[in-house]
């Protein structure tokens, strides 16, 4: 009984820790949304940085985007490119998703070989995101192996001029590991800016290294909303586990009481 209960507890918390093993559930990167999927705060100690070429040619050849830093042991990603020189998380952070929804342009190449896939249309439709091609927004197919200090993926420019564009990306471990919204880079079109655009970059600041107090606060602050958002089957499992624990505790109490009676009788 007790070994089953322990196994159930471990299995249930393993399910919680791997709640998003097949891809991000969203199509827009915001600290609030990403934070709700993790039990820790954002951690800039990863030191992730992004580099790429300074220009792209509409309808032209793919260009590499490289990310370097200290990646989590196992990780997931959400990545896309938007028109303009402002990182998406800056816009959405100021006024919610409706304040900064932009189309996702261009497309990423060789996703399968990178362990990634196109984000589902349903996820993007739910946040009013229009993708130029399915691979305009990508996420992980399964947890990606960490133990690396760099990764590179090729991005195919949009077919028509979008002016300056911004690369948006978040890298995250499992729900018990840290995550980081990577400071963006901008890429200029060889055909020039679009009307109303500016070359002045507005990127999110890198998060500071997480402290033990901050991580503990994030854990306590996020654990309840995370449980509330778990799939019903996981919630049922947790309830079952707690029922098993309660029943086991009751049975153990009766056993101790019975032994006390026997000893007292002697």
């Amino acid at each position: 009984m007790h070994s089953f209960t322990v196994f159930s507890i471990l299995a249930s918390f393993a399910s919680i820790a791997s709640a998003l093993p097949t891809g991000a559930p969203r199509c827009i990167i915001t600290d609030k949304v990403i934070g709700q999927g993790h039990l820790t705060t954002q951690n800039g100690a990863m030191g992730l940085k992004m580099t790429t070429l300074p220009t792209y040619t509409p309808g032209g050849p793919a260009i590499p985007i490289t990310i370097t830093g200290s990646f989590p042991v196992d990780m997931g990603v959400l990545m896309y490119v938007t028109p303009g020189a402002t990182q998406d998380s800056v816009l959405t952070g100021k006024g919610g998703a409706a304040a900064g929804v932009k189309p996702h342009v261009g497309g990423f190449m060789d996703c399968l070989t990178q362990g990634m896939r196109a984000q589902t249309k349903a996820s993007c439709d739910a946040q009013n995101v229009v993708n130029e091609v399915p691979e305009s927004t990508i996420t992980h197919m399964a947890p990606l192996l960490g133990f690396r200090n760099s990764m590179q993926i090729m991005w195919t420019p949009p077919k028509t001029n979008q002016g300056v564009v911004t690369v948006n990306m978040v890298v995250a471990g499992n729900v018990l590991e840290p995550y980081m919204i990577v400071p963006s880079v901008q890429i200029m079109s060889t055909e020039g800016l679009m009307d109303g655009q500016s070359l002045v970059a507005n990127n999110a600041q890198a998060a500071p290294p997480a402290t033990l107090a901050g991580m503990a606060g994030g854990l306590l602050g996020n654990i309840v909303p995370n449980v509330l958002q778990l799939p019903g089957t996981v919630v049922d499992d947790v309830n079952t586990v707690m029922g098993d624990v309660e029943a086991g505790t009751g049975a153990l109490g009766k056993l101790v009481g019975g032994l006390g009676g026997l000893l007292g009788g002697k």
Side-chain angles (χ1 to χ4, degrees):
M1 170 73 172
H2 294 151
S3 62
F4 174 76
T5 300
V6 171
F7 176 79
S8 298
I9 293 172
L10 292 175
S12 293
F13 280 96
S15 297
I16 295 172
S18 302
L20 306 173
T22 58
R26 298 289 189 269
C27 204
I28 296 175
I29 297 171
T30 73
D31 189 34
K32 180 179 180 181
V33 170
I34 303 299
Q36 286 175 345
H38 291 265
L39 300 182
T40 59
T41 55
Q42 190 176 180
N43 189 356
M46 292 188 202
L48 299 178
K49 296 181 179 179
M50 191 185 302
T51 57
T52 188
L53 299 180
T55 61
Y56 73 91
T57 300
I63 63 175
I65 298 172
T66 303
I67 303 90
T68 58
S70 178
F71 289 86
V73 174
D74 62 326
M75 63 182 192
V77 303
L78 180 64
M79 189 173 187
Y80 54 88
V81 177
T82 50
T86 299
Q87 185 167 353
D88 211 25
S89 60
V90 173
L91 281 174
T92 52
K94 288 181 177 178
V101 176
K102 294 182 176 183
H104 295 180
V105 299
F108 295 95
M109 298 177 60
D110 302 323
C111 292
L112 292 179
T113 60
Q114 296 275 0
M116 301 183 198
R117 62 167 174 82
Q119 180 58 292
T120 63
K121 186 176 185 299
S123 293
C124 292
D125 286 350
Q127 294 191 285
N128 301 313
V129 172
V130 177
N131 289 304
E132 181 179 349
V133 295
E135 293 78 16
S136 293
T137 308
I138 59 171
T139 187
H140 54 286
M141 295 176 60
L144 303 174
L145 182 63
F147 296 111
R148 65 175 87 185
N149 55 22
S150 69
M151 66 179 295
Q152 185 179 90
I153 189 163
M154 301 298 291
W155 175 72
T156 301
K159 295 179 180 177
T160 59
N161 184 29
Q162 297 293 329
V164 62
V165 298
T166 296
V167 184
N168 301 271
M169 184 182 194
V170 61
V171 175
N174 62 47
V175 297
L176 299 177
E177 291 182 303
Y179 68 94
M180 182 177 176
I181 297 174
V182 185
S184 289
V185 294
Q186 280 69 37
I187 315 172
M188 181 61 192
S189 170
T190 55
E191 295 184 6
L193 293 171
M194 299 289 287
D195 289 342
Q197 285 187 337
S198 168
L199 276 176
V200 179
N202 186 6
N203 294 328
Q205 297 297 310
T211 62
L212 288 176
M215 293 179 72
L219 178 65
L220 294 174
N222 286 329
I223 194 167
V224 171
N226 270 276
V227 168
L228 292 176
Q229 294 183 51
L230 287 173
T233 53
V234 177
V235 174
D236 290 343
D237 287 345
V238 173
N239 289 335
T240 299
V241 170
M242 297 310 295
D244 287 345
V245 171
E246 185 177 355
T249 303
L252 182 60
K254 291 180 181 179
L255 177 61
V256 172
L259 288 174
L262 289 174
L263 293 173
K266 287 187 175 182

